[in-house]
Amino acid sequence: MNDMTMTTAVAHPLPVAPFEGRHLIDGIWQGSADGATFDRVSPSHGLVVSRSARGGAAETEAAIMAARRAFDKGTWSRATGKERSTLLLKVADLIEANVERMALVETLESGKPISQARGEVAGAADLWRYAAALARTLHGDSHNSLGEDMLAVVLKQPIGVVSIITPWNFPFWILSQKLPFALAAGCTCVIKPSEMTPSTTVMLGELLIEAGLPAGVVNIVLGFGQPVGALMAEHRHVDMVSFTGSTAVGRAISAAASKTLKKVALELGGKNPQVVFPDADLDAAADAITFGIYFNAGECCNSSSRIIVHEDVAEALVEKVVSLSRKVAFGDPLNPETQVGAIISKAHQQKIAAYVRDAVGSGATLALGGEAIRHPALPGEFFGPTVVTNVRPDMPIAREEVFGPVLVVLTVKTFEEAVALVNDASYGLSAGVWSENMHTCLAFARRAEAGTVWTNTWMDGFPEVAFGGFKQSGQGRENGRYGLDEFLEIKSVVMRIGKTRPNWVRD
């Protein structure tokens, strides 16, 4: 098993029956009109975790129109900042009270470790609290220097009905980077979670109702991209689409949304580099690199899946990363000691393996791993820690998003060569730099084409700090005040004081 650390299965109270997920439309939980459902089988334990109503065009249309009516009615869209904030704070408290219930289902649906799932669900409450604070501080601008008879104000108002489409890898966390900000702005929403991890979104819907959110403000439709996601993107009564997922699907959503020229916010893929210079703290860098590639089994848009290291320290760094990789605890997601769980599906596992085979066949070298692994007590899909060296920049494994626990190593000789290699990518989500010289770090940060640049760390994030990408990693931002601005329209109001407007038509 790649001479690696493997945690064993532990006794854990598995659900006695699948979680039953239904649509939330206009404040009412309901199944699909045709009775259709779909099951989610745990990628780690092989059991049916959830059985969800399978929505179609009828359910999607009903949800969108419920959101439209709720927005136009104004109960939420014209509520005060205090009213919105108060409800969002209630939701945050309810999330914290339901961490264990939500984390268990998310672990079984996604394959991620239970300790990680607990951290993500509990941590998401902070996103809701930060959005609640923004709801109280929302304001526009005024222009009082246009002349003594003129005054103009710039208003910020909710954009309208927002379609929110979320991925399978961080279903609750990513929803919490979108929904509370949309609600803080006064929008109404229709949500489609991934068909592979739908249940925590449904659980959140229960909490929203418990907190007192008016009917129709948040609607949930369970199902697949066709027809649910497609209709949510193109519908004329939807004013904005917020999507997180693959770049390919992001392009399709943009194309569908273009029919009505609605706003689209996209958080897409990444091929994120960490650059290591000779004066770096190699032990700290190696640990951050190991975390960056194996966190969430590498199924993360922010995964640091390519390392660009100066040739003077490349061998030493690779040795440290390989040594640390052997110590990372892969295995049963329900074991609290597990750090890396199961791959989301067998098909995705095969895709990861194909990238590695292709690279080795093209001359790359396996420093560690490179294959699927079997758990001694579980039937699920697991892929071992993998480090690939002697990689050329033109190889697919160095340019495309593998989305697995596979690290590729490239070497450079100079700062300029490193920056050029970082920016020679279709993606631009995140980048990192390791150097004890802050001049080097700052120069790199200014030149790297990435939405986030970490210096001497990796993947530290805060609700206050905006997140999003350059190039094919997306458009728009989440979190921070910029994350709220995504859900607002700007309106200028120009007012004349007194009867000072001269007649245009001459007498």
Side-chain angles (χ1 to χ4, degrees):
M1 292 185 292
N2 294 319
D3 187 24
M4 55 169 286
T5 301
M6 173 71 81
T7 61
T8 57
V10 295
H12 195 287
L14 294 172
V16 296
F19 178 81
E20 298 286 343
R22 293 178 295 166
H23 314 297
L24 176 61
I25 301 175
D26 208 10
I28 300 172
W29 294 104
Q30 54 191 269
S32 295
D34 60 2
T37 62
F38 62 94
D39 291 349
R40 173 57 177 161
V41 176
S42 169
S44 57
H45 289 71
L47 56 84
V48 177
V49 184
S50 58
R51 179 164 293 126
S52 303
R54 180 166 181 164
E59 290 77 23
T60 310
E61 178 76 25
I64 291 171
M65 295 313 298
R68 180 80 268 162
R69 290 192 298 272
F71 183 83
D72 293 344
K73 184 179 179 181
T75 304
W76 184 257
S77 58
R78 294 193 290 274
T80 66
K82 178 182 178 181
E83 290 168 332
R84 294 177 196 160
S85 178
T86 299
L87 188 136
L88 296 181
L89 291 172
K90 288 180 182 178
V91 176
D93 291 342
L94 290 169
I95 289 171
E96 289 184 333
N98 285 270
V99 168
E100 285 301 315
R101 173 174 174 254
M102 301 172 83
L104 175 60
V105 171
E106 184 151 309
T107 292
L108 291 172
E109 285 189 337
S110 69
K112 69 176 57 190
I114 185 73
S115 297
Q116 180 186 324
R118 287 170 179 152
E120 288 170 13
V121 174
D126 197 34
L127 290 164
W128 285 80
R129 292 194 175 103
Y130 179 71
L134 292 181
R136 297 291 298 266
T137 59
L138 180 61
H139 62 86
D141 297 301
S142 63
H143 296 273
N144 195 36
S145 58
L146 306 176
E148 63 179 0
D149 62 343
M150 299 299 297
L151 177 67
V153 295
V154 177
L155 306 180
K156 294 183 178 180
Q157 61 187 50
I159 197 168
V161 175
V162 180
S163 287
I164 296 177
I165 303 173
T166 56
W168 49 259
N169 56 340
F170 296 94
F172 192 76
W173 179 264
I174 288 176
L175 178 58
S176 295
Q177 290 190 143
K178 300 175 184 291
L179 180 59
F181 294 88
L183 293 177
C187 297
T188 60
C189 303
V190 180
I191 304 168
K192 190 200 91 66
S194 167
E195 64 274 11
M196 290 192 279
T197 52
S199 297
T200 52
T201 297
V202 176
M203 292 176 174
L204 178 61
E206 297 170 352
L207 303 185
L208 291 170
I209 292 175
E210 185 177 348
L213 188 71
V217 173
V218 171
N219 305 270
I220 301 168
V221 183
L222 309 177
F224 293 74
Q226 289 289 348
V228 179
L231 186 54
M232 287 172 62
E234 67 184 22
H235 200 285
R236 68 186 183 92
H237 285 299
V238 170
D239 301 294
M240 175 182 173
V241 182
S242 178
F243 168 78
T244 296
S246 72
T247 298
V249 176
R251 292 193 195 100
I253 285 175
S254 289
S258 69
K259 298 175 183 178
T260 52
L261 291 179
K262 60 174 59 70
K263 183 175 183 179
V264 178
L266 303 172
E267 197 272 283
L268 307 175
K271 192 66 178 178
N272 311 295
Q274 291 201 54
V275 178
V276 184
F277 290 104
D279 65 338
D281 181 337
L282 293 188
D283 290 325
D287 185 82
I289 289 166
T290 304
F291 161 68
I293 189 57
Y294 302 129
F295 175 70
N296 211 61
E299 298 170 325
C300 176
C301 60
N302 257 338
S303 174
S304 57
S305 54
R306 62 182 178 130
I307 301 306
I308 300 171
V309 55
H310 194 281
E311 61 181 17
D312 290 352
V313 293
E315 184 176 351
L317 181 67
V318 170
E319 288 179 359
K320 291 177 182 293
V321 171
V322 168
S323 177
L324 291 175
S325 297
R326 297 184 192 278
K327 299 176 183 178
V328 176
F330 282 61
D332 179 14
L334 292 180
N335 188 325
E337 299 301 315
T338 296
Q339 294 172 286
V340 183
I343 301 300
I344 191 69
S345 68
K346 186 175 183 62
H348 190 59
Q349 175 118 307
Q350 292 171 343
K351 176 185 173 183
I352 295 169
Y355 271 107
V356 177
R357 285 196 307 271
D358 175 74
V360 173
S362 299
T365 302
L366 278 176
L368 178 68
E371 61 187 5
I373 54 177
R374 304 306 307 174
H375 192 284
L378 296 176
E381 307 296 331
F382 299 87
F383 200 91
T386 299
V387 180
V388 187
T389 59
N390 295 323
V391 174
R392 297 191 311 274
D394 62 339
M395 289 180 175
I397 201 170
R399 303 191 68 84
E400 298 175 12
E401 193 174 35
V402 176
F403 228 57
V406 178
L407 178 70
V408 300
V409 182
L410 302 101
T411 60
V412 293
K413 297 180 180 179
T414 67
F415 176 90
E416 293 296 332
E417 188 180 353
V419 171
L421 194 54
V422 165
N423 293 338
D424 181 28
S426 57
Y427 296 110
L429 187 58
S430 302
V433 58
W434 290 85
S435 171
E436 293 297 287
N437 187 326
M438 287 307 297
H439 298 289
T440 300
C441 292
L442 289 173
F444 176 86
R446 296 181 76 169
R447 292 180 59 183
E449 296 172 357
T452 299
V453 178
W454 283 288
T455 68
N456 295 315
T457 189
W458 187 258
M459 224 185 308
D460 289 326
F462 304 91
E464 295 89 346
V465 181
F467 174 68
F470 288 16
K471 299 187 280 190
Q472 292 189 40
S473 286
Q475 57 192 39
R477 292 295 181 266
E478 295 180 342
N479 297 347
R481 183 165 295 278
Y482 298 100
L484 179 68
D485 287 345
E486 292 291 333
F487 299 102
L488 296 168
E489 284 281 22
I490 304 299
K491 176 185 289 183
S492 296
V493 180
V494 181
M495 299 169 280
R496 185 173 289 275
I497 302 169
K499 297 181 179 180
T500 60
R501 180 182 178 275
N503 290 336
W504 182 71
V505 178
R506 300 185 182 91
D507 290 335

